[in-house]
Amino acid sequence: MPVVVDIDVMMARRKMSVGELADRIGITPTNLAVLKNGRAKAVRFTTLDALCEVLECQPGDLLRWVPED
């Protein structure tokens, strides 16, 4: 998939666990793991907004497009 999810990078920079982030943005740790590992087919803007607010970042810090070979 050409869209790469870098949530784990921002979590590491903020020294935040999956459980803590999931609790603060209001989703289950399982659903956050699906999103974090790039297995989600979609992301709600409300979830993206909450991620950016809690991690103090921009959407481009969490998602990036990489062309396929």
Side-chain angles (χ1 to χ4, degrees):
M1 176 186 252
V3 174
V4 178
V5 180
D6 288 327
I7 293 173
D8 54 344
V9 173
M10 292 306 296
M11 287 174 54
R13 288 183 183 163
R14 304 295 186 253
K15 296 178 175 56
M16 195 173 295
S17 69
V18 169
E20 180 185 355
L21 180 57
D23 186 53
R24 290 182 63 186
I25 65 171
I27 65 173
T28 66
T30 302
N31 284 340
L32 179 56
V34 167
L35 181 59
K36 183 175 79 74
N37 295 323
R39 294 189 318 261
K41 301 224 185 252
V43 60
R44 293 176 186 260
F45 281 122
T46 54
T47 302
L48 185 58
D49 178 56
L51 283 165
C52 290
E53 182 178 348
V54 171
L55 294 172
E56 299 176 351
C57 65
Q58 295 294 313
D61 296 325
L62 303 176
L63 303 170
R64 61 188 163 93
W65 181 79
V66 177
E68 292 185 276
D69 291 335

